[in-house]
Amino acid sequence: MIGVLAPSRVLLVGRTLKALGARRAFVVHGTDGIDELTTTGESVVARIEASETGECTLRASRVTPEMAGLERTTLDQFTGGDVATNSALLYDVLTGVAGARRDIVLLNAAAALVAAGLAADLREGVRKGAEAIDSGQAAATLAKLRQFGAKHTVAP
C-alpha cells in the first residue's frame, strides 16, 4: 500500500507498480489531502490484483469509511502533533483506545491486509485489525519494535 499526496498521482503510481510487476497493491489518496485512506470522506484508490490465471488488472475506485463499517470523522479528530505527541497517540491506538484515530488506523490496516491477501475485503480487514489491537498483539509488536530500535540505534 502506497499513499500519495496528489489525486492525480494515484493512477500514475498504480500503472508504474503494475509495469514493475506488482501483483497486489493499493495506491491511495484521501480527498482531504492526506496520503492515506481517510475517514473524513472519500479516498481515491488504484488497486492492482492478480487473477487466478496470473493476469494483473489495475482498477480505479473510491473508498469511503462506511464501506469498511466505520463512521466518518473530521480531520481535527485524528490530526497529530510533534514526535512525542504522535508516539503517545500511536500507543493509545495500539493499546485499544477507541475513537477517530483508531478508526483511521483500522481503515488503512484493512487495505494493507486486503492487498496482502489476508482479508477478502475492507470490513474483514477492519475486524482483523481490531482483533490484533484488542488481543494485545499490536501493542506487543510495538514493544518489540521499540526494543529493536533501542538496540540498533546508530550513534552520530
Side-chain angles (χ1 to χ4, degrees):
M1 190 166 114
I2 297 175
V4 296
L5 284 172
S8 62
R9 300 293 187 235
V10 172
L11 280 174
L12 174 70
V13 173
R15 285 186 202 109
T16 302
L17 287 172
K18 185 178 179 221
L20 290 171
R23 302 187 43 74
R24 300 177 75 87
F26 275 73
V27 181
V28 302
H29 170 78
T31 56
D32 54 9
I34 64 173
D35 61 346
E36 58 187 275
L37 295 177
T38 186
T39 52
T40 68
E42 288 189 332
S43 298
V44 180
V45 176
R47 183 176 176 183
I48 299 170
E49 289 181 285
S51 70
E52 291 177 11
T53 63
E55 182 181 341
C56 291
T57 58
L58 175 66
R59 292 184 305 146
S61 65
R62 297 207 175 237
V63 169
T64 65
E66 294 87 0
M67 293 167 74
L70 299 169
E71 294 183 15
R72 287 192 187 216
T73 60
T74 59
L75 198 57
D76 64 313
Q77 289 179 292
F78 60 77
T79 304
D82 61 19
V83 172
T85 299
N86 290 345
S87 178
L89 294 173
L90 176 63
Y91 181 79
D92 286 349
V93 167
L94 296 183
T95 56
V97 175
R101 290 182 178 98
R102 174 183 166 114
D103 287 352
I104 196 167
V105 166
L106 287 174
L107 181 58
N108 283 278
L113 289 168
V114 170
L118 299 173
D121 58 32
L122 292 175
R123 284 182 184 266
E124 182 183 353
V126 165
R127 280 193 303 275
K128 287 186 172 196
E131 288 170 9
I133 290 171
D134 296 339
S135 70
Q137 181 182 0
T141 300
L142 176 62
K144 288 179 186 176
L145 287 171
R146 284 181 169 167
Q147 195 173 46
F148 178 84
K151 289 181 181 177
H152 296 87
T153 302
V154 178

